[in-house]
Amino acid sequence: MNGLHPIKMPSAKEKVAAELRKAILSRQLQEGEAVTLESVANQLEVSVMPVREAFQILARDGLIKLQRNKGAVVLGINETYIREHYQLRAILESAAAEMCCAPEVDITRIEESYECAAESIQNNDFAAYADQNREFHSEIWSAAGNSRMENIIAELWNGLSMGSMITEVDYAKVSIEEHERIMKAIRERNGAAAKEEMYRHIMRSRDDMLTNYC
């Protein structure tokens, strides 16, 4: 069968960091709670190595404090952190979207990723959307052609960002509409529009997340 390509998946450390960040932002992991390499590795069914690397990422971001006994303590999360986190993502991801609009950039895999996600939504297969959402974003990071930028954004990723008043189904429907506008701008090679639409998309995710903290 022609036209298929491997699904771009996050590295193990990126996946672990995303799951831990999401748990902290949603307060599934509470301030002062202790976590260990082994407990996280067992729960996520991965080896200890990517958990250790994820701990380093989250410690750098100020979400956890490393301890000598191969564990860490969850630090407090506040509105300032959330705003700064999403602002950084918005700046980097909107720049990546703009860079994808250059005439020489191959956007085929971005288009394929978008079409796959749109088809899932049309078929009411919302369970698959979390991975498809990340793949759409990651194809944009990759197409931008700046590997350092791609690595930084990947480490910042924390999955779907839903407030307390929105379900995963509702989020997917809103998100795919925003992806459609981003995709349209990229297809038209309209860098300014792609940048604006991506920035707006990430900031809307920020606002959804802040509904848990206001």
Side-chain angles (χ1 to χ4, degrees), residues 27 33 42 46 49 69 75 86 89 109 125 133 137 194:
R27 290 177 174 159
E33 186 171 345
N42 289 336
V46 297
M49 180 60 70
N69 61 352
L75 300 178
Y86 280 96
R89 268 193 59 193
R109 293 187 61 159
D125 183 9
N133 176 54
H137 282 264

Side-chain angles (χ1 to χ4, degrees), residues 6-76:
I7 296 175
K8 187 164 187 172
M9 299 299 290
S11 68
K13 73 172 182 179
E14 290 167 359
K15 186 174 181 179
V16 173
E19 289 299 322
L20 286 171
R21 183 180 283 108
K22 186 161 55 175
I24 294 171
L25 290 172
S26 64
R27 290 177 174 159
Q28 293 176 347
L29 287 175
Q30 298 283 337
E31 179 179 355
E33 186 171 345
V35 290
T36 66
L37 295 174
E38 290 78 10
S39 65
V40 174
N42 289 336
Q43 290 180 62
L44 297 182
E45 299 182 350
V46 297
S47 68
V48 170
M49 180 60 70
V51 179
R52 180 179 289 109
E53 293 173 333
F55 274 19
Q56 294 290 337
I57 293 171
L58 297 188
R60 181 198 64 201
D61 289 351
L63 288 177
I64 63 174
K65 181 178 181 180
L66 299 178
Q67 295 185 317
R68 293 182 179 179
N69 61 352
K70 299 182 180 180
V73 174
V74 177
L75 300 178

